[in-house]
Amino acid sequence: MIWVNGVSQASIAPMDRGLAYGDGLFATMRTDAHGILFFEQHQARLTAGAARLGFDWQMSQTLSQQLDTLAKQYPQHCIKLMLTRGVGGRGYAPPEQVQVTEVVSVHPIPAQYALWQQQGIRLATSAVQLGHQPLLAGIKHLNRLEQVLIKSQPLPQGFDDWLVLDCTGQVIESSMANIFFVKGNQVITPSLERCGVAGVMREQVMLALLAQQMNIDCLPFGAERLVEFDSAFITNSVLGVVDVLAIDSHTFTPSPLTADLRQTLSLSL
């Protein structure tokens, strides 16, 4: 179930800059019986990300209607929307006239995500570290070769995903989700000023925690500080909120915050 510029099963042009250079960005959005969760926030994030890459994009009414229709046809699914700068020449320089390519696809939610919400997961620290590029930090751009390298490594037995550090040893995220740490009434999530993806669910969780009078900080910190925290959890728009039971050999106690967040934000699978 793929649409390119609104045409079912169409192909992307061989000279599309998304294919040639990863020149674009994407969003993965979860659906329920009412439509796409946090649809306006996903739109705003895509528009802002395109602006940071240097091209103008606003969601058309036609695309919005298509996504709404698909969401209602396929509740409890994942809709992926990719945007590229469109067709360009051989070189890196972007074309003066941009015709954005829009690719929509519909996918089932991975079956293990519901189990992860119930039981939690364990993370192992990846040997692949993220490089620094502040101009791209936070954007969910199409240049995801670092994540491909991370996911190409076999996980140790008993672990479910990778914890990812940057090239200076600072904690950033899991391979596919943002991460939060809890100590009493204090919640800390890594700073993403130099690398990493600032997810829509990360923002929604932070707003929900602030509404509960929790203290939240976005700080850089190294992996050596993980032993200071009582609890940890990961978030993204598809899996919602999931407890982290352990990182490497260090264990965490599941936080009551996670069940509250799933209920408050309607994230249960």
Side-chain angles (χ1 to χ4, degrees):
M1 294 184 288
I2 300 173
W3 295 261
V4 179
N5 294 327
V7 180
S8 177
Q9 304 302 320
S11 299
I12 295 175
M15 298 300 288
D16 191 281
R17 290 179 62 87
L19 173 63
Y21 307 119
D23 188 1
L25 61 160
F26 70 103
T28 47
M29 304 172 285
R30 183 174 142 193
T31 66
D32 65 10
H34 306 289
I36 294 175
L37 277 69
F38 311 112
F39 189 32
E40 292 182 1
Q41 289 81 2
H42 281 292
Q43 290 184 63
R45 184 162 170 264
L46 285 167
T47 299
R52 285 182 62 186
L53 293 180
F55 64 91
D56 182 59
W57 179 85
Q58 297 283 338
M59 185 174 290
S60 67
Q61 186 64 30
T62 299
L63 177 58
S64 179
Q65 289 176 348
Q66 179 193 13
L67 295 174
D68 184 61
T69 298
L70 288 172
K72 291 173 180 176
Q73 288 177 341
Y74 299 99
Q76 297 303 331
H77 278 66
C78 170
I79 295 179
K80 184 173 183 177
L81 172 59
M82 288 191 292
L83 308 175
T84 84
R85 202 185 302 259
V87 174
R90 180 198 60 81
Y92 291 131
E96 293 184 5
Q97 300 296 323
V98 175
Q99 187 67 42
V100 176
T101 302
E102 300 171 342
V103 182
V104 175
S105 56
V106 180
H107 311 267
I109 293 175
Q112 70 268 27
Y113 284 5
L115 184 64
W116 285 6
Q117 282 195 1
Q118 296 168 18
Q119 298 183 358
I121 64 169
R122 298 168 63 88
L123 303 179
T125 300
S126 174
V128 180
Q129 297 181 330
L130 302 180
H132 289 172
Q133 179 44 272
L135 293 176
L136 298 176
I139 303 175
K140 204 168 187 179
H141 53 74
L142 295 178
N143 285 271
R144 307 250 59 95
L145 285 177
E146 290 173 317
Q147 282 69 31
V148 171
L149 292 174
I150 291 165
K151 285 290 197 180
S152 296
Q153 303 301 309
L155 280 161
Q157 185 174 2
F159 289 85
D160 306 286
D161 192 22
W162 295 105
L163 177 74
V164 183
L165 313 179
D166 72 4
C167 56
T168 65
Q170 303 294 298
V171 176
I172 300 298
E173 57 198 5
S174 89
S175 76
M176 60 179 178
N178 293 120
I179 191 163
F180 292 78
F181 297 92
V182 184
K183 178 72 172 177
N185 196 44
Q186 181 78 24
V187 179
I188 295 177
T189 192
S191 169
L192 303 177
E193 292 182 351
R194 296 181 177 180
C195 58
V197 174
V200 163
M201 189 55 61
R202 176 179 183 260
E203 178 184 31
Q204 296 306 308
V205 164
M206 292 171 72
L207 291 172
L209 291 173
L210 286 171
Q212 296 181 28
Q213 306 301 312
M214 296 293 292
N215 297 315
I216 304 175
D217 283 313
C218 298
L219 300 172
F221 59 92
E224 72 280 355
R225 289 195 57 194
L226 296 178
V227 295
E228 300 175 14
F229 302 106
D230 302 320
S231 305
F233 59 90
I234 62 169
T235 68
N236 75 24
S237 291
V238 181
L239 61 79
V241 178
V242 170
D243 284 299
V244 174
L245 304 179
I247 296 177
D248 299 326
S249 61
H250 180 69
T251 59
F252 296 95
T253 302
S255 171
L257 288 174
T258 55
D260 290 342
L261 288 166
R262 285 193 292 268
Q263 181 175 10
T264 300
L265 298 173
S266 301
L267 302 176
S268 297
L269 290 169

